[in-house]
Amino acid sequence: CVVRSLVKERFVVAGGGAAETEASLRLRELALETTGMDSHCFKAYADALEVIPYTLAENAGLKPIEIVTELRKAHKEGMVGAGIDVKKGSISDMYDENIIQPLLVTTSAIKLATETVCMILKVDDLVVVM
């Protein structure tokens, strides 16, 4: 699966929840700049992305709230490659540790999750999705 992903799209991103945390941070910034329903949607999407590093920390037997807080702080300080190093039990620069994953894996997971939410919203007639 990893090799196939790299053949299809030859880009990698930092692992350990780094990409999701950075995307979450950027969406939170965007939510502050916008108003109304869009702002709520951006914030909710950012919250959903933070579940990934939280779950990673939880599954590694770490304290997820503390780890995700440290991770968020590292990203706010400009360390875009900061992620959860489960072996060390701390936040590290994933690029320095050579902990990377194919971009296609990350984008596919996010697209699938987004499509699923859109389908649920359509079925429940909560939001008109275009």
Side-chain angles (χ1 to χ4, degrees), residues 55-90:
T55 304
L56 178 62
E58 195 172 45
N59 288 345
L62 306 172
K63 296 177 182 173
I65 295 172
E66 291 176 18
I67 292 290
V68 171
T69 302
E70 286 179 45
L71 184 59
R72 200 179 304 135
K73 180 182 175 213
H75 278 267
K76 283 184 181 176
E77 292 172 351
M79 192 173 159
V80 295
I84 302 168
D85 188 334
V86 296
K87 290 182 181 177
K88 294 179 182 175
S90 64

PDB file of all heavy atoms in Angstrom, residues 55-90:
ATOM      1  N   THR A  55      -5.770  10.163  19.168  1.00  0.00           N
ATOM      2  CA  THR A  55      -5.913   8.706  19.125  1.00  0.00           C
ATOM      3  C   THR A  55      -4.550   8.023  19.074  1.00  0.00           C
ATOM      4  O   THR A  55      -4.340   6.989  19.717  1.00  0.00           O
ATOM      5  CB  THR A  55      -6.768   8.294  17.914  1.00  0.00           C
ATOM      6  OG1 THR A  55      -8.025   8.963  17.991  1.00  0.00           O
ATOM      7  CG2 THR A  55      -6.998   6.805  17.872  1.00  0.00           C
ATOM      8  N   LEU A  56      -3.625   8.587  18.317  1.00  0.00           N
ATOM      9  CA  LEU A  56      -2.271   8.045  18.247  1.00  0.00           C
ATOM     10  C   LEU A  56      -1.624   8.036  19.630  1.00  0.00           C
ATOM     11  O   LEU A  56      -1.048   7.024  20.047  1.00  0.00           O
ATOM     12  CB  LEU A  56      -1.427   8.859  17.267  1.00  0.00           C
ATOM     13  CG  LEU A  56       0.035   8.453  17.127  1.00  0.00           C
ATOM     14  CD1 LEU A  56       0.146   7.032  16.593  1.00  0.00           C
ATOM     15  CD2 LEU A  56       0.755   9.421  16.210  1.00  0.00           C
ATOM     16  N   ALA A  57      -1.730   9.136  20.350  1.00  0.00           N
ATOM     17  CA  ALA A  57      -1.164   9.220  21.702  1.00  0.00           C
ATOM     18  C   ALA A  57      -1.842   8.227  22.651  1.00  0.00           C
ATOM     19  O   ALA A  57      -1.177   7.551  23.434  1.00  0.00           O
ATOM     20  CB  ALA A  57      -1.299  10.639  22.244  1.00  0.00           C
ATOM     21  N   GLU A  58      -3.144   8.141  22.546  1.00  0.00           N
ATOM     22  CA  GLU A  58      -3.911   7.228  23.400  1.00  0.00           C
ATOM     23  C   GLU A  58      -3.519   5.770  23.134  1.00  0.00           C
ATOM     24  O   GLU A  58      -3.291   4.993  24.067  1.00  0.00           O
ATOM     25  CB  GLU A  58      -5.399   7.442  23.138  1.00  0.00           C
ATOM     26  CG  GLU A  58      -6.314   6.854  24.166  1.00  0.00           C
ATOM     27  CD  GLU A  58      -7.752   7.273  23.922  1.00  0.00           C
ATOM     28  OE1 GLU A  58      -8.221   7.225  22.756  1.00  0.00           O
ATOM     29  OE2 GLU A  58      -8.407   7.639  24.900  1.00  0.00           O
ATOM     30  N   ASN A  59      -3.410   5.397  21.866  1.00  0.00           N
ATOM     31  CA  ASN A  59      -3.041   4.031  21.502  1.00  0.00           C
ATOM     32  C   ASN A  59      -1.610   3.686  21.882  1.00  0.00           C
ATOM     33  O   ASN A  59      -1.277   2.517  22.064  1.00  0.00           O
ATOM     34  CB  ASN A  59      -3.244   3.800  20.002  1.00  0.00           C
ATOM     35  CG  ASN A  59      -4.707   3.732  19.624  1.00  0.00           C
ATOM     36  OD1 ASN A  59      -5.571   3.579  20.468  1.00  0.00           O
ATOM     37  ND2 ASN A  59      -4.980   3.892  18.350  1.00  0.00           N
ATOM     38  N   ALA A  60      -0.753   4.708  21.996  1.00  0.00           N
ATOM     39  CA  ALA A  60       0.646   4.489  22.378  1.00  0.00           C
ATOM     40  C   ALA A  60       0.816   4.425  23.891  1.00  0.00           C
ATOM     41  O   ALA A  60       1.924   4.234  24.379  1.00  0.00           O
ATOM     42  CB  ALA A  60       1.523   5.594  21.809  1.00  0.00           C
ATOM     43  N   GLY A  61      -0.273   4.594  24.628  1.00  0.00           N
ATOM     44  CA  GLY A  61      -0.205   4.537  26.084  1.00  0.00           C
ATOM     45  C   GLY A  61       0.293   5.826  26.713  1.00  0.00           C
ATOM     46  O   GLY A  61       0.728   5.833  27.866  1.00  0.00           O
ATOM     47  N   LEU A  62       0.226   6.923  25.973  1.00  0.00           N
ATOM     48  CA  LEU A  62       0.654   8.222  26.487  1.00  0.00           C
ATOM     49  C   LEU A  62      -0.554   8.980  27.028  1.00  0.00           C
ATOM     50  O   LEU A  62      -1.686   8.547  26.858  1.00  0.00           O
ATOM     51  CB  LEU A  62       1.323   9.026  25.364  1.00  0.00           C
ATOM     52  CG  LEU A  62       2.472   8.331  24.632  1.00  0.00           C
ATOM     53  CD1 LEU A  62       2.910   9.155  23.432  1.00  0.00           C
ATOM     54  CD2 LEU A  62       3.636   8.103  25.575  1.00  0.00           C
ATOM     55  N   LYS A  63      -0.303  10.107  27.648  1.00  0.00           N
ATOM     56  CA  LYS A  63      -1.393  10.954  28.135  1.00  0.00           C
ATOM     57  C   LYS A  63      -1.809  11.869  26.983  1.00  0.00           C
ATOM     58  O   LYS A  63      -1.128  12.848  26.676  1.00  0.00           O
ATOM     59  CB  LYS A  63      -0.928  11.775  29.330  1.00  0.00           C
ATOM     60  CG  LYS A  63      -0.558  10.920  30.521  1.00  0.00           C
ATOM     61  CD  LYS A  63      -0.045  11.760  31.656  1.00  0.00           C
ATOM     62  CE  LYS A  63       0.352  10.867  32.821  1.00  0.00           C
ATOM     63  NZ  LYS A  63       1.006  11.639  33.886  1.00  0.00           N
ATOM     64  N   PRO A  64      -2.916  11.547  26.320  1.00  0.00           N
ATOM     65  CA  PRO A  64      -3.270  12.237  25.073  1.00  0.00           C
ATOM     66  C   PRO A  64      -3.492  13.741  25.214  1.00  0.00           C
ATOM     67  O   PRO A  64      -3.093  14.504  24.340  1.00  0.00           O
ATOM     68  CB  PRO A  64      -4.521  11.520  24.590  1.00  0.00           C
ATOM     69  CG  PRO A  64      -5.024  10.759  25.744  1.00  0.00           C
ATOM     70  CD  PRO A  64      -3.881  10.511  26.653  1.00  0.00           C
ATOM     71  N   ILE A  65      -4.111  14.180  26.290  1.00  0.00           N
ATOM     72  CA  ILE A  65      -4.386  15.609  26.438  1.00  0.00           C
ATOM     73  C   ILE A  65      -3.081  16.391  26.548  1.00  0.00           C
ATOM     74  O   ILE A  65      -2.898  17.415  25.879  1.00  0.00           O
ATOM     75  CB  ILE A  65      -5.313  15.879  27.641  1.00  0.00           C
ATOM     76  CG1 ILE A  65      -6.686  15.251  27.381  1.00  0.00           C
ATOM     77  CG2 ILE A  65      -5.446  17.374  27.903  1.00  0.00           C
ATOM     78  CD1 ILE A  65      -7.626  15.289  28.553  1.00  0.00           C
ATOM     79  N   GLU A  66      -2.150  15.886  27.354  1.00  0.00           N
ATOM     80  CA  GLU A  66      -0.863  16.558  27.513  1.00  0.00           C
ATOM     81  C   GLU A  66      -0.066  16.555  26.210  1.00  0.00           C
ATOM     82  O   GLU A  66       0.513  17.570  25.813  1.00  0.00           O
ATOM     83  CB  GLU A  66      -0.041  15.884  28.612  1.00  0.00           C
ATOM     84  CG  GLU A  66      -0.592  16.086  29.998  1.00  0.00           C
ATOM     85  CD  GLU A  66       0.191  15.313  31.054  1.00  0.00           C
ATOM     86  OE1 GLU A  66       1.338  14.906  30.781  1.00  0.00           O
ATOM     87  OE2 GLU A  66      -0.355  15.130  32.146  1.00  0.00           O
ATOM     88  N   ILE A  67      -0.034  15.410  25.549  1.00  0.00           N
ATOM     89  CA  ILE A  67       0.741  15.277  24.310  1.00  0.00           C
ATOM     90  C   ILE A  67       0.182  16.177  23.211  1.00  0.00           C
ATOM     91  O   ILE A  67       0.935  16.875  22.528  1.00  0.00           O
ATOM     92  CB  ILE A  67       0.773  13.798  23.845  1.00  0.00           C
ATOM     93  CG1 ILE A  67       1.593  12.952  24.818  1.00  0.00           C
ATOM     94  CG2 ILE A  67       1.291  13.668  22.432  1.00  0.00           C
ATOM     95  CD1 ILE A  67       3.083  13.225  24.782  1.00  0.00           C
ATOM     96  N   VAL A  68      -1.125  16.185  23.031  1.00  0.00           N
ATOM     97  CA  VAL A  68      -1.730  17.005  21.981  1.00  0.00           C
ATOM     98  C   VAL A  68      -1.546  18.494  22.293  1.00  0.00           C
ATOM     99  O   VAL A  68      -1.313  19.302  21.397  1.00  0.00           O
ATOM    100  CB  VAL A  68      -3.216  16.642  21.763  1.00  0.00           C
ATOM    101  CG1 VAL A  68      -3.911  17.618  20.839  1.00  0.00           C
ATOM    102  CG2 VAL A  68      -3.329  15.230  21.213  1.00  0.00           C
ATOM    103  N   THR A  69      -1.600  18.857  23.558  1.00  0.00           N
ATOM    104  CA  THR A  69      -1.355  20.249  23.946  1.00  0.00           C
ATOM    105  C   THR A  69       0.075  20.655  23.612  1.00  0.00           C
ATOM    106  O   THR A  69       0.317  21.736  23.059  1.00  0.00           O
ATOM    107  CB  THR A  69      -1.641  20.454  25.447  1.00  0.00           C
ATOM    108  OG1 THR A  69      -2.997  20.081  25.714  1.00  0.00           O
ATOM    109  CG2 THR A  69      -1.424  21.894  25.864  1.00  0.00           C
ATOM    110  N   GLU A  70       1.036  19.791  23.924  1.00  0.00           N
ATOM    111  CA  GLU A  70       2.441  20.055  23.580  1.00  0.00           C
ATOM    112  C   GLU A  70       2.624  20.137  22.068  1.00  0.00           C
ATOM    113  O   GLU A  70       3.366  20.991  21.571  1.00  0.00           O
ATOM    114  CB  GLU A  70       3.344  18.944  24.121  1.00  0.00           C
ATOM    115  CG  GLU A  70       3.585  18.964  25.598  1.00  0.00           C
ATOM    116  CD  GLU A  70       4.479  17.805  26.025  1.00  0.00           C
ATOM    117  OE1 GLU A  70       5.500  17.541  25.352  1.00  0.00           O
ATOM    118  OE2 GLU A  70       4.142  17.162  27.030  1.00  0.00           O
ATOM    119  N   LEU A  71       1.948  19.248  21.363  1.00  0.00           N
ATOM    120  CA  LEU A  71       2.042  19.211  19.902  1.00  0.00           C
ATOM    121  C   LEU A  71       1.493  20.499  19.289  1.00  0.00           C
ATOM    122  O   LEU A  71       2.107  21.101  18.406  1.00  0.00           O
ATOM    123  CB  LEU A  71       1.279  17.991  19.373  1.00  0.00           C
ATOM    124  CG  LEU A  71       1.331  17.717  17.883  1.00  0.00           C
ATOM    125  CD1 LEU A  71       2.765  17.526  17.418  1.00  0.00           C
ATOM    126  CD2 LEU A  71       0.502  16.466  17.571  1.00  0.00           C
ATOM    127  N   ARG A  72       0.342  20.931  19.790  1.00  0.00           N
ATOM    128  CA  ARG A  72      -0.259  22.177  19.308  1.00  0.00           C
ATOM    129  C   ARG A  72       0.669  23.365  19.577  1.00  0.00           C
ATOM    130  O   ARG A  72       0.853  24.238  18.729  1.00  0.00           O
ATOM    131  CB  ARG A  72      -1.602  22.384  20.003  1.00  0.00           C
ATOM    132  CG  ARG A  72      -2.516  23.339  19.280  1.00  0.00           C
ATOM    133  CD  ARG A  72      -3.849  23.518  19.972  1.00  0.00           C
ATOM    134  NE  ARG A  72      -4.557  22.278  20.196  1.00  0.00           N
ATOM    135  CZ  ARG A  72      -5.160  21.968  21.343  1.00  0.00           C
ATOM    136  NH1 ARG A  72      -5.139  22.786  22.368  1.00  0.00           N
ATOM    137  NH2 ARG A  72      -5.809  20.825  21.454  1.00  0.00           N
ATOM    138  N   LYS A  73       1.286  23.378  20.750  1.00  0.00           N
ATOM    139  CA  LYS A  73       2.214  24.449  21.114  1.00  0.00           C
ATOM    140  C   LYS A  73       3.421  24.468  20.167  1.00  0.00           C
ATOM    141  O   LYS A  73       3.840  25.533  19.706  1.00  0.00           O
ATOM    142  CB  LYS A  73       2.685  24.267  22.558  1.00  0.00           C
ATOM    143  CG  LYS A  73       3.645  25.327  23.027  1.00  0.00           C
ATOM    144  CD  LYS A  73       4.116  25.065  24.446  1.00  0.00           C
ATOM    145  CE  LYS A  73       5.173  26.092  24.822  1.00  0.00           C
ATOM    146  NZ  LYS A  73       6.167  25.572  25.693  1.00  0.00           N
ATOM    147  N   ALA A  74       3.975  23.293  19.878  1.00  0.00           N
ATOM    148  CA  ALA A  74       5.126  23.208  18.979  1.00  0.00           C
ATOM    149  C   ALA A  74       4.781  23.741  17.595  1.00  0.00           C
ATOM    150  O   ALA A  74       5.575  24.453  16.977  1.00  0.00           O
ATOM    151  CB  ALA A  74       5.615  21.768  18.887  1.00  0.00           C
ATOM    152  N   HIS A  75       3.584  23.434  17.115  1.00  0.00           N
ATOM    153  CA  HIS A  75       3.172  23.920  15.797  1.00  0.00           C
ATOM    154  C   HIS A  75       2.949  25.424  15.810  1.00  0.00           C
ATOM    155  O   HIS A  75       3.271  26.110  14.840  1.00  0.00           O
ATOM    156  CB  HIS A  75       1.928  23.180  15.317  1.00  0.00           C
ATOM    157  CG  HIS A  75       2.246  21.860  14.702  1.00  0.00           C
ATOM    158  ND1 HIS A  75       2.449  21.700  13.349  1.00  0.00           N
ATOM    159  CD2 HIS A  75       2.438  20.631  15.255  1.00  0.00           C
ATOM    160  CE1 HIS A  75       2.735  20.430  13.098  1.00  0.00           C
ATOM    161  NE2 HIS A  75       2.728  19.765  14.245  1.00  0.00           N
ATOM    162  N   LYS A  76       2.399  25.946  16.890  1.00  0.00           N
ATOM    163  CA  LYS A  76       2.206  27.396  16.981  1.00  0.00           C
ATOM    164  C   LYS A  76       3.533  28.131  17.013  1.00  0.00           C
ATOM    165  O   LYS A  76       3.626  29.274  16.592  1.00  0.00           O
ATOM    166  CB  LYS A  76       1.379  27.745  18.220  1.00  0.00           C
ATOM    167  CG  LYS A  76      -0.086  27.464  18.041  1.00  0.00           C
ATOM    168  CD  LYS A  76      -0.896  27.907  19.231  1.00  0.00           C
ATOM    169  CE  LYS A  76      -2.361  27.573  18.994  1.00  0.00           C
ATOM    170  NZ  LYS A  76      -3.198  27.889  20.150  1.00  0.00           N
ATOM    171  N   GLU A  77       4.575  27.468  17.512  1.00  0.00           N
ATOM    172  CA  GLU A  77       5.910  28.064  17.560  1.00  0.00           C
ATOM    173  C   GLU A  77       6.647  27.914  16.236  1.00  0.00           C
ATOM    174  O   GLU A  77       7.811  28.285  16.129  1.00  0.00           O
ATOM    175  CB  GLU A  77       6.719  27.446  18.700  1.00  0.00           C
ATOM    176  CG  GLU A  77       6.194  27.814  20.070  1.00  0.00           C
ATOM    177  CD  GLU A  77       6.869  27.062  21.202  1.00  0.00           C
ATOM    178  OE1 GLU A  77       7.642  26.098  20.935  1.00  0.00           O
ATOM    179  OE2 GLU A  77       6.619  27.424  22.360  1.00  0.00           O
ATOM    180  N   GLY A  78       5.999  27.331  15.231  1.00  0.00           N
ATOM    181  CA  GLY A  78       6.572  27.251  13.895  1.00  0.00           C
ATOM    182  C   GLY A  78       7.247  25.936  13.549  1.00  0.00           C
ATOM    183  O   GLY A  78       7.843  25.804  12.484  1.00  0.00           O
ATOM    184  N   MET A  79       7.152  24.945  14.400  1.00  0.00           N
ATOM    185  CA  MET A  79       7.770  23.641  14.135  1.00  0.00           C
ATOM    186  C   MET A  79       6.760  22.777  13.368  1.00  0.00           C
ATOM    187  O   MET A  79       6.049  21.959  13.951  1.00  0.00           O
ATOM    188  CB  MET A  79       8.163  22.994  15.469  1.00  0.00           C
ATOM    189  CG  MET A  79       9.047  21.797  15.362  1.00  0.00           C
ATOM    190  SD  MET A  79       9.557  21.311  17.040  1.00  0.00           S
ATOM    191  CE  MET A  79      10.004  19.632  16.744  1.00  0.00           C
ATOM    192  N   VAL A  80       6.703  22.971  12.040  1.00  0.00           N
ATOM    193  CA  VAL A  80       5.665  22.320  11.235  1.00  0.00           C
ATOM    194  C   VAL A  80       5.827  20.803  11.152  1.00  0.00           C
ATOM    195  O   VAL A  80       4.862  20.097  10.868  1.00  0.00           O
ATOM    196  CB  VAL A  80       5.592  22.913   9.805  1.00  0.00           C
ATOM    197  CG1 VAL A  80       5.151  24.349   9.837  1.00  0.00           C
ATOM    198  CG2 VAL A  80       6.911  22.757   9.089  1.00  0.00           C
ATOM    199  N   GLY A  81       7.013  20.283  11.408  1.00  0.00           N
ATOM    200  CA  GLY A  81       7.233  18.837  11.367  1.00  0.00           C
ATOM    201  C   GLY A  81       7.059  18.156  12.708  1.00  0.00           C
ATOM    202  O   GLY A  81       7.331  16.964  12.842  1.00  0.00           O
ATOM    203  N   ALA A  82       6.586  18.899  13.705  1.00  0.00           N
ATOM    204  CA  ALA A  82       6.426  18.334  15.048  1.00  0.00           C
ATOM    205  C   ALA A  82       5.334  17.271  15.049  1.00  0.00           C
ATOM    206  O   ALA A  82       4.242  17.486  14.530  1.00  0.00           O
ATOM    207  CB  ALA A  82       6.089  19.428  16.054  1.00  0.00           C
ATOM    208  N   GLY A  83       5.657  16.119  15.625  1.00  0.00           N
ATOM    209  CA  GLY A  83       4.699  15.025  15.712  1.00  0.00           C
ATOM    210  C   GLY A  83       4.966  14.196  16.949  1.00  0.00           C
ATOM    211  O   GLY A  83       5.906  14.462  17.705  1.00  0.00           O
ATOM    212  N   ILE A  84       4.160  13.193  17.134  1.00  0.00           N
ATOM    213  CA  ILE A  84       4.271  12.338  18.314  1.00  0.00           C
ATOM    214  C   ILE A  84       5.231  11.197  18.011  1.00  0.00           C
ATOM    215  O   ILE A  84       4.983  10.383  17.130  1.00  0.00           O
ATOM    216  CB  ILE A  84       2.897  11.773  18.721  1.00  0.00           C
ATOM    217  CG1 ILE A  84       1.923  12.917  18.984  1.00  0.00           C
ATOM    218  CG2 ILE A  84       3.029  10.865  19.935  1.00  0.00           C
ATOM    219  CD1 ILE A  84       0.484  12.474  19.117  1.00  0.00           C
ATOM    220  N   ASP A  85       6.318  11.149  18.754  1.00  0.00           N
ATOM    221  CA  ASP A  85       7.271  10.042  18.658  1.00  0.00           C
ATOM    222  C   ASP A  85       6.854   9.032  19.722  1.00  0.00           C
ATOM    223  O   ASP A  85       7.135   9.213  20.904  1.00  0.00           O
ATOM    224  CB  ASP A  85       8.695  10.536  18.900  1.00  0.00           C
ATOM    225  CG  ASP A  85       9.738   9.479  18.614  1.00  0.00           C
ATOM    226  OD1 ASP A  85       9.405   8.276  18.709  1.00  0.00           O
ATOM    227  OD2 ASP A  85      10.878   9.847  18.309  1.00  0.00           O
ATOM    228  N   VAL A  86       6.180   7.972  19.297  1.00  0.00           N
ATOM    229  CA  VAL A  86       5.633   7.014  20.255  1.00  0.00           C
ATOM    230  C   VAL A  86       6.718   6.205  20.963  1.00  0.00           C
ATOM    231  O   VAL A  86       6.504   5.720  22.065  1.00  0.00           O
ATOM    232  CB  VAL A  86       4.587   6.077  19.604  1.00  0.00           C
ATOM    233  CG1 VAL A  86       3.379   6.869  19.132  1.00  0.00           C
ATOM    234  CG2 VAL A  86       5.175   5.284  18.471  1.00  0.00           C
ATOM    235  N   LYS A  87       7.879   6.064  20.343  1.00  0.00           N
ATOM    236  CA  LYS A  87       8.966   5.326  20.987  1.00  0.00           C
ATOM    237  C   LYS A  87       9.552   6.116  22.151  1.00  0.00           C
ATOM    238  O   LYS A  87       9.870   5.547  23.194  1.00  0.00           O
ATOM    239  CB  LYS A  87      10.069   4.987  19.980  1.00  0.00           C
ATOM    240  CG  LYS A  87       9.650   3.939  18.980  1.00  0.00           C
ATOM    241  CD  LYS A  87      10.791   3.601  18.040  1.00  0.00           C
ATOM    242  CE  LYS A  87      10.354   2.557  17.019  1.00  0.00           C
ATOM    243  NZ  LYS A  87      11.423   2.264  16.065  1.00  0.00           N
ATOM    244  N   LYS A  88       9.698   7.417  21.966  1.00  0.00           N
ATOM    245  CA  LYS A  88      10.242   8.275  23.019  1.00  0.00           C
ATOM    246  C   LYS A  88       9.168   8.768  23.978  1.00  0.00           C
ATOM    247  O   LYS A  88       9.470   9.198  25.081  1.00  0.00           O
ATOM    248  CB  LYS A  88      10.946   9.486  22.404  1.00  0.00           C
ATOM    249  CG  LYS A  88      12.187   9.151  21.616  1.00  0.00           C
ATOM    250  CD  LYS A  88      12.799  10.413  21.032  1.00  0.00           C
ATOM    251  CE  LYS A  88      14.016  10.093  20.187  1.00  0.00           C
ATOM    252  NZ  LYS A  88      14.541  11.314  19.531  1.00  0.00           N
ATOM    253  N   GLY A  89       7.927   8.754  23.513  1.00  0.00           N
ATOM    254  CA  GLY A  89       6.831   9.240  24.345  1.00  0.00           C
ATOM    255  C   GLY A  89       6.816  10.750  24.453  1.00  0.00           C
ATOM    256  O   GLY A  89       6.395  11.292  25.474  1.00  0.00           O
ATOM    257  N   SER A  90       7.287  11.422  23.399  1.00  0.00           N
ATOM    258  CA  SER A  90       7.350  12.885  23.430  1.00  0.00           C
ATOM    259  C   SER A  90       7.142  13.446  22.032  1.00  0.00           C
ATOM    260  O   SER A  90       6.974  12.712  21.066  1.00  0.00           O
ATOM    261  CB  SER A  90       8.703  13.338  23.979  1.00  0.00           C
ATOM    262  OG  SER A  90       9.743  12.920  23.106  1.00  0.00           O
TER     263      SER A  90
END
